[in-house]
Amino acid sequence: MAHDDTVAPLLPSSAAPPRRNMFPFVCAALASMTTILMSYNLTLMSGAELFIREDLGLSDTQTEVEIRV
């Protein structure tokens, strides 16, 4: 019986590249969109806060409670 020096791999090789896990990409995209929307909301409300206070005749404390709730 002849001894062969070549060793077969444990797992067969595939021509296709490995599949990427999309979960981190989706999480990063959602976090980015959430941050953008929150900053837009804060910017919009800080500009509207002046008019809300003036129109309703609210004090600073009442405005903070109204805006944050």
Side-chain angles (χ1 to χ4, degrees):
M1 188 148 115
H3 187 293
D4 192 4
D5 289 336
T6 61
V7 178
L10 296 177
L11 296 174
S13 63
S14 63
R19 196 171 155 218
R20 293 185 186 251
N21 187 358
M22 293 301 291
F23 184 73
F25 295 113
V26 171
C27 287
L30 287 176
S32 298
M33 286 190 290
T34 302
T35 303
I36 290 169
L37 290 175
M38 185 172 177
S39 64
Y40 176 73
N41 186 26
L42 287 174
T43 304
L44 184 70
M45 286 307 295
S46 67
E49 183 179 345
L50 301 171
F51 297 108
I52 291 171
R53 183 183 304 156
E54 184 180 311
D55 288 344
L56 300 177
L58 301 174
S59 68
D60 289 337
T61 306
Q62 290 172 330
T63 304
E64 288 298 318
V65 170
E66 175 191 356
I67 298 296
R68 303 300 177 236
V69 173

